[in-house]
Amino acid sequence: MSIVFHASRKDLVRSIARDAFNAGDLNLMNYADRIQELYFTLIPPASQDTNLRQPCDDATGERFEADRRHNRQIVERWVKGRVAEFPDDLEEPWVMALPDQWRDKALTELSARYGLLPAPIPSGGHTAAWTGDIMQSMADVLRDFAPIAEDGVINHLDADDLPAFILSSAKAMGILSSMQRQASEALQEAERRKAR
């Protein structure tokens, strides 16, 4: 058995947030607000293990803004790696608050550690939305594969282009898996109705 070392989950998600920030895709105040909102919604009070504050209204709004600034400062320290501590219960809100493309990257990389694809749960119906999603994801796959396909082989010379292709193809496969599951469930339901 070969051993493959990789970053810890907390280092991975912090690194992705840092990349999003450095790319100009992440506004720290908005990100901190979204993390705080998700954190206090998703994590039961008995399990909360951060010093984030849930902003509360006061007559002047000063307390609310002070709490927001406090949260922004903490999130900025985590994003920029100024503190090593990163509570385990923060991972889910941290990832879910990322901008779409960065959240997709985090979910793909976290899932890949277990040999899984991040397939969205079918929401039922909404074929127009699924059609748009799959068309966009296939366009992304083709865009990311184009520079790799130029010489007709996939090899080590494509190293710079491979990460984007791996990410976009994993997203497309996840969407297709979800659509396939939804179609299978619909077919099973049709067969149950026939059998009645």
Side-chain angles (χ1 to χ4, degrees):
M1 179 173 128
S2 63
I3 298 174
V4 178
F5 293 103
H6 52 74
S8 67
R9 295 175 69 87
K10 73 176 183 178
D11 289 341
L12 172 67
V13 298
R14 288 172 74 174
S15 169
I16 290 171
R18 190 174 309 113
D19 291 346
F21 175 74
N22 291 337
D25 295 334
L26 188 73
N27 173 290
L28 284 174
M29 184 60 89
N30 293 341
Y31 187 50
D33 286 346
R34 186 70 179 130
I35 288 172
Q36 174 271 136
E37 177 186 336
L38 287 165
Y39 184 79
F40 289 105
T41 301
L42 297 173
I43 310 302
S47 299
Q48 293 173 2
D49 189 31
T50 71
N51 55 354
L52 290 175
R53 294 180 189 162
Q54 191 166 15
C56 54
D57 291 320
D58 62 356
T60 63
E62 289 176 21
R63 170 75 188 272
F64 183 84
E65 287 306 317
D67 289 344
R68 285 185 72 216
R69 283 192 305 274
H70 168 84
N71 291 341
R72 180 193 178 276
Q73 184 178 44
I74 291 171
V75 168
E76 181 177 16
R77 288 177 181 160
W78 282 327
V79 168
K80 294 184 177 178
R82 292 185 185 146
V83 290
E85 155 269 330
F86 188 84
D88 293 337
D89 62 334
L90 190 61
E91 180 185 305
E92 186 178 1
W94 184 271
V95 170
M96 299 315 292
L98 287 166
D100 291 347
Q101 70 184 32
W102 298 99
R103 182 178 57 246
D104 290 346
K105 178 178 174 56
L107 292 173
T108 298
E109 292 192 24
L110 289 168
S111 299
R113 290 173 176 224
Y114 295 96
L116 303 171
L117 293 171
I121 297 171
S123 55
H126 312 317
T127 54
W130 282 110
T131 302
D133 287 347
I134 195 59
M135 289 176 69
Q136 180 61 56
S137 67
M138 292 308 295
D140 293 344
V141 168
L142 293 172
R143 177 201 64 218
D144 295 339
F145 188 63
I148 296 168
E150 283 180 1
D151 62 0
V153 294
I154 299 175
N155 59 26
H156 65 282
L157 299 174
D158 299 309
D160 290 344
D161 297 310
L162 292 174
F165 170 67
I166 290 168
L167 184 63
S168 62
S169 61
K171 181 177 180 183
M173 287 187 288
I175 292 170
L176 281 171
S177 295
S178 294
M179 292 173 69
Q180 181 187 42
R181 176 161 180 190
Q182 192 172 5
S184 296
E185 289 173 354
L187 184 58
Q188 289 170 0
E189 176 62 22
E191 289 170 357
R192 276 194 297 272
R193 289 175 183 249
K194 272 188 206 174
R196 289 181 189 163

